Amino acid sequence: MIDQPPAFVCHVTAVSDGDTFHCQERPVRVRLKDIDAPEIHGCRKGRICAPGDGYASKAALTRILASGTVHCVQYGTDRYRRPLVRCRVNGQDIGQTMLSTGYAVTWPYRGKGR
């Protein structure tokens, strides 16, 4: 039998940006796995950041998360100990929705830079 990653329903309490949000069920923010969204306050010197409008990306994720029950599966943690998750709302993968609407890119998150 293959072990399944931990799954949970996320009751969203806040959205940080286009790829990170808070779940009532977790002590730290969760980060969507395998996507990167534009930074809210711009890209710091020396980093490679996703292009686009960070505020628009955050607003898009906020709308998606508010559209139904958020079901997540955790796939480990990042270097900041945030759970890396794939989540669905109304049967739709949230990360894929962010990608298909142009609010995120398919750069796997590796912490500082790529």
Side-chain angles (χ1 to χ4, degrees):
M1 182 173 171
I2 298 173
D3 288 336
Q4 294 295 318
F8 61 98
V9 172
C10 172
H11 295 94
V12 178
T13 59
V15 177
S16 301
D17 57 28
D19 54 31
T20 309
F21 52 96
H22 297 259
C23 295
Q24 179 179 321
E25 296 75 16
R26 297 287 185 259
V28 295
R29 294 176 294 167
V30 299
R31 188 161 197 309
L32 291 171
K33 184 176 178 1
D34 295 332
I35 72 165
D36 195 17
E39 301 298 322
I40 293 288
H41 300 292
C43 190
R44 290 181 298 212
K45 188 175 181 171
R47 290 190 64 201
I48 299 170
C49 299
D53 181 338
Y55 291 100
S57 181
K58 177 181 176 179
L61 181 59
T62 300
R63 284 190 302 274
I64 293 166
L65 293 170
S67 69
T69 302
V70 179
H71 297 271
C72 298
V73 176
Q74 182 177 338
Y75 294 88
T77 57
D78 68 9
R79 65 186 275 180
Y80 302 108
R81 294 190 165 154
R82 295 178 296 191
L84 291 171
V85 298
R86 289 210 171 119
C87 301
R88 299 178 86 71
V89 173
N90 301 319
Q92 300 279 45
D93 182 279
I94 294 171
Q96 290 299 314
T97 301
M98 292 296 287
L99 291 171
S100 68
T101 55
Y103 290 110
V105 294
T106 55
W107 290 338
Y109 176 79
R110 293 189 182 95
K112 200 173 172 183
R114 297 201 191 348

